[in-house]
Amino acid sequence: MSKVFKFGGASIKDVESIKNVSEILFSHKNDDLFIIFSAMGKVTNMLEDVLDKYVNHSSETSYLLQKVKDFHYSILDNLFEKEEQIYNDVNNLFVEIEWVLEDDPNENYDYDYDQIVSIGELISTKIMSSYLNKIGFKNIWIDARDIIKTDNTHRFAKVNWSITEKSILSVKSEFPKITQGFIGCTSENFTTTLGREGSDFSAAIIGYCINATEVVIWKDVDGLLNSDPRYFENSELLEEIPFTEAVELAYFGAKVIHPKTIYPLKRKSIPLFVKSFISPNNKGTIIKNDVEITPLIPSYIVKENQILISISDINLSFIVENHLSEIFNVLSELNISVNLMQNSAASFSICIDNNKKRVSKLIKILNESFNVYFNDDLTLFTIRHYDEQAVDLVLKGKKLILEQKSRNTIQIVVKQ
Ligand code: ADP
Ligand code: ASP
Ligand code: MG
């Protein structure tokens, strides 16, 4: 009965929540556990800020790093005595960041990103492992860089499944294992990361490789809901859903599960539970093969800060295949994913995230060959299993800009 548990930043954001997670773990002390932690609280964002200041040679760099240190040391001071080894361990990890900061930024921003931002997970797992050992939950700390092997696409590293599987299977311990989400390592021993929110995916990788009987991701919500409670009142729990449906929700942007998490588990039929670390005794959501969505109700996904770009031929003729391939080449070069697209006689429209830097590059390039118009400050709603009432709810008080329907999904672009 091997289980993989993954705890995100919100579950270990302060002393009280760390104690709560420890209680959850104690209640599973007879299980064969592989435990994955993200960085604590908002530490990944804080480290991204440190990196941005550093690459811009800003004098605020060390001030921002100090904030990350203060955050962790205040947690340490509440959980440990000053002479305990963990202070040295955490110190040494901060020294690794300081070494990077002493040199000039690398030409490859993504490389520096991985060296600095990965430290958040290394620190959180060191703290959790030490604290749990101290209070009697014996465990071993594992460096994810020894087991998750990737290529050298820094910041978006691709997993080398065969070496990873071998490495994970070589870990032997009678105690629960604690390791980092989000990070991996190249064959040349350089640290990589798997993309923001990648710890869910790490849990799936490990679950897949050890043939876990289940993977549980512990969240600050009751499970997978039919909408993001930050945007919708009355979000309802989806008790059971098939992997195929979870993939759709994650693909359209439901922010609760990293989209890559699903496939490895689906392939080996390993059930994925989404459970609340606030109410750990509640059932949560189970995602697995061969179940019906229960209850079958509309699910809502919101993407804010969208821009709709309409592209037409300079000679006012149709947008034809070779135009489309030119447009898609530009999109792929700029790493832009399309959230929705629509073609008409006169123009081809795409709705994308309005990432200012990339979008202005895109518009500049497209302007060389096409007429380009855009409409920004938009929101894209996707509703799975929609009905009239669900659509009315989303449209209330907003201006409809574009709508696209299939049997199970409707996508609606609106201006607030
Ligand atoms: P983690 O701590 O694991 O990183 P996240 O913050 O990434 O957790 O994910 C949990 C958050 O996802 C919730 O607080 C909730 O606001 C948001 N969320 C978005 N869509 C959904 C959904 N369909 N069901 C549940 N939570 C959702
Ligand atoms: N700490 C990383 C992030 O915030 C990975 C994760 O939490 O999943 O993106
Ligand atoms: Mg997250």
Side-chain angles (χ1 to χ4, degrees), residues 6-11 38 197 200 218-221 223-230 249 253-257 277 300:
K6 178 259 165 172
F7 293 94
S11 69
S38 307
E197 305 292 332
D200 292 347
W218 296 88
K219 300 273 175 182
D220 60 354
V221 279
L224 186 55
L225 308 174
N226 74 327
S227 60
D228 186 340
R230 286 175 295 194
L249 295 178
K255 289 230 178 62
V256 63
I257 305 175
F277 60 77
Y300 304 81

Side-chain angles (χ1 to χ4, degrees), residues 200-245:
D200 292 347
F201 180 40
S202 304
I205 298 169
I206 292 176
Y208 177 93
C209 292
I210 65 170
N211 290 312
T213 42
E214 64 186 57
V215 172
V216 185
I217 50 179
W218 296 88
K219 300 273 175 182
D220 60 354
V221 279
D222 255 340
L224 186 55
L225 308 174
N226 74 327
S227 60
D228 186 340
R230 286 175 295 194
Y231 294 94
F232 287 84
E233 289 168 9
N234 312 324
S235 298
E236 287 181 59
L237 179 73
L238 301 171
E239 291 161 26
E240 290 191 343
I241 83 162
F243 282 121
T244 45
E245 181 65 23

